[in-house]
Each structure stands twice: as structure tokens, then as C-alpha cells.
Amino acid sequence: MKLRLKAPATSANLGPGFDVFGLALMEPYDIVEAERISDKHVEIEVLEGYPVPTKPEENTGGYAALKMIEDFGLSEGVRLRIRKGIRPGSGLGSSAATAAAAAYAVNELFNLGLSSEELVRYAALGELVSAGAPHLDNVAPAIYGGFVMVSQEPRLRIYSMEPPPDLGVVVALPDVEKGSTRRAREVIPREVPLRSLVHNVAKASILAAGIALKNINMIREGMNDAVVEPARARAGIIPEYEGVKRLGEELDAGIAVSGAGPAVICVIEKSRRNVAAEALKKFYESRGYRVQLYITEPGPGVAVIG
Ligand code: HSE
């Protein structure tokens, strides 16, 4: 049996929801072909797209698959052939997509019967390889689809919700080197002032309620972070941060850093996506950055497509 899977890009944080909120996107995505091999090992090949490590221990998907083979005492292994459409280090959950696809594939190929939550746990092990910290706000939406909220203490809880049907997304990915997610996490303050906590709780509540109530105005109002984004911008990880936030206000759109950046996610009515895309392109290009744009919308989690 050979599976062909589509694994979505995901945008984590959405402003105030650091390590908690995540959104699966329709584009960009990876395609992963997976099949069983008689050797109890993981083989990885990148057929096209962006390069990623092919040693299983160094690849987020390879690592997740190895752990599953070990934990379930499988006598066979898996071959993963990746068409990498999500740029690594973009802030669009590239490593999470591979990890989610691998966990999903092993579960299907060996009929393990794992729940979505268990798949998230395995995919998260893969994330550890790349980020060095167990954050689930990319792998959870990559498995569940739509908008998710993750709580890890005292035990893992994942809640998923369908975003409003008229919610459009534009992703702008400026052509800069972010460096590692690991480093982007090192620059975050260990302690936050009470007023920043109050700000973020208010905004995160408004955003989550906006998803539940299918209210785009509330969602964009909620995409406002007083802690993590400003710290990363100060560390030089998010180019043109203040300017792009101002652009969000001018466009009456929600703009937030996507995950650890450098991509930004813009949330706006579907009917106004082209206007936002044009403005974002002009914004970055006029400041000397080449920029890649995705005019998209929320999408499903990893799934078999053939
Ligand atoms: N919540 C994580 C972070 C997402 O911001 O570091 C990384 O993609």
C-alpha cells in the first residue's frame, strides 16, 4: 500500500496565543508519499521543493516515525518521499507538516488506530528535533485542521474549531534568513509585566471568541501581542515589524507574525484578500525585500489524497 498525503502549512500564535493558538492553511503544503518497507528503518527522499535533512534522526518526520516503530515494536519500516512546498524556517510550520505527515502515515500503514491527540504527541517529538522545545501549536493544527487551542499543563488538551467561512488569509514571506526557531525562542523574556499579561489575555479571549462566534472583527482585534512579537522584533528577527503592524491597521486587517517568523499572516475578509496582498507586496518591496505571497484560507489537517 502506498499513501499520498497532503500536509498543510500552519500559522502559530496569531498574536497573543504563543504556543497555544494555531491555524491550518490551505496553502502552501507538502505532499508526502509513504509506504512500508521490509527493513525496520525510515528512508527519506526529497523529490522536489525545499531541501530538508534526509537522515531520519535529523528529519522531523523521520524522527517521529522512528519513535513510532520503536514504541509499537513494528517489524517493518517506512519510506517517505517528500515534495516540500513549505519553506523551512519560514514560520509556516514546515517541520510540523513533515512530522504530522509521518505520524499520520505510520498510523495508517500499520493500522495502529491512534487518536488525533496521540498523533500530535508523536509529531511533536519530531518538532523537538528542530526547535528544541515542545511546542504543539503547529503540529496540532497540522493534524486537526482549522483553528486549534493547545493546553499542555497539567495534561494535554487540544480544542479545534472551524474558522468563519468568509475568513481569508494572506501570508507574506519576506526573503530573509530567520535563523532557528530555537534562537527565536531564546530572545523571549522569561518574565512579563502584569499589564502585558492582562493585554494578552484580553486579546487572546477576543480572538478565540471571534472564531467561535464567526466574527472576523473580533479575530483581527485579537491578533495583537504585547510580549513575544515585540521581543523578537527587538532582536532583529522580524523585519519591519512596526510598519507591517501599522499596515494591518490601515487595511483594517489582523496582521501577526506567523509562528517565529519571518512570515506574517494577514487575516481579512476573503473578498479583500487581493487588496491586502497587493499592499503587503508593495510594503516589503519598497523596503528592499523580495516577498512571496500566498492568498489562501484556513484548511484541513493532514489527509490522504490518493
Ligand atoms: N509558538 C512557537 C513559537 C511556534 O513562536 O516559537 C514556532 O513555529
Side-chain angles (χ1 to χ4, degrees):
M1 179 166 65
K2 195 186 250 183
L3 297 176
R4 199 173 146 81
L5 305 160
K6 185 172 169 181
T10 48
S11 185
N13 303 342
L14 299 173
F18 176 69
D19 281 3
V20 174
F21 291 164
L23 185 69
L25 302 176
M26 205 65 105
E27 278 175 53
Y29 53 82
D30 289 354
I31 299 289
V32 178
E33 290 164 14
E35 62 185 330
R36 280 164 75 147
I37 52 173
S38 54
D39 199 8
K40 195 181 146 187
H41 196 59
V42 179
E43 274 178 34
I44 297 176
E45 211 180 319
V46 180
L47 296 181
E48 63 179 65
Y50 298 102
V52 288
T54 52
K55 274 197 193 145
E57 301 78 10
E58 292 169 15
N59 178 290
T60 58
Y63 190 78
L66 282 175
K67 283 299 288 179
M68 291 171 86
I69 292 168
E70 186 186 317
D71 286 2
F72 294 95
L74 303 178
S75 54
E76 294 186 342
V78 64
R79 177 181 296 127
L80 302 170
R81 290 186 148 128
I82 304 170
R83 293 172 200 277
K84 193 80 201 142
I86 311 168
R87 191 174 105 187
S90 57
L92 292 170
S94 177
S95 54
T98 315
Y104 190 96
V106 174
N107 185 44
E108 291 292 314
L109 290 170
F110 293 91
N111 285 316
L112 300 180
L114 298 181
S115 66
S116 296
E117 191 183 297
E118 287 167 309
L119 293 183
V120 168
R121 286 182 196 275
Y122 276 106
L125 294 176
E127 275 285 68
L128 265 178
V129 174
S130 71
H135 63 92
L136 308 184
D137 47 351
N138 288 111
V139 283
I143 296 281
Y144 282 74
F147 171 81
V148 302
M149 295 175 286
V150 182
S151 170
Q152 287 183 255
E153 300 293 337
R155 56 151 299 197
L156 178 62
R157 296 270 188 207
I158 300 168
Y159 298 95
S160 63
M161 286 193 275
E162 274 299 312
D166 55 337
L167 185 134
V169 172
V170 179
V171 171
L173 175 54
D175 202 3
V176 292
E177 274 299 315
K178 169 185 81 174
S180 66
T181 299
R182 204 181 287 261
R183 156 139 169 78
R185 296 179 76 85
E186 279 166 9
V187 302
I188 301 168
R190 301 296 113 185
E191 291 177 3
V192 301
L194 191 60
R195 66 170 189 287
S196 302
L197 173 73
V198 172
H199 173 102
N200 273 27
V201 171
K203 297 300 181 188
S205 310
I206 292 167
L207 195 160
I211 299 269
L213 297 170
K214 311 250 181 271
N215 182 323
I216 295 183
N217 284 333
M218 291 174 75
I219 297 170
R220 59 183 159 225
E221 186 190 333
M223 289 173 67
N224 208 306
D225 171 33
V227 178
V228 177
E229 290 185 357
R232 287 177 169 168
R234 278 194 300 275
I237 293 169
I238 314 297
E240 310 294 338
Y241 175 69
E242 277 85 20
V244 83
K245 288 296 284 183
R246 268 198 305 279
L247 181 65
E249 279 162 33
E250 283 162 27
L251 288 167
D252 197 14
I255 288 189
V257 177
S258 185
V264 297
I265 177 169
C266 170
V267 164
I268 196 163
E269 292 83 0
K270 275 185 183 161
S271 57
R272 294 203 297 131
R273 279 179 302 190
N274 287 335
V275 177
E278 205 39 56
L280 280 159
K281 184 169 154 45
K282 214 167 122 194
F283 174 84
Y284 283 110
E285 287 184 350
S286 66
R287 287 159 178 80
Y289 300 93
R290 278 188 303 165
V291 62
Q292 226 172 322
L293 290 155
Y294 297 97
I295 299 176
T296 184
E297 61 193 270
V302 58
V304 174
I305 54 163

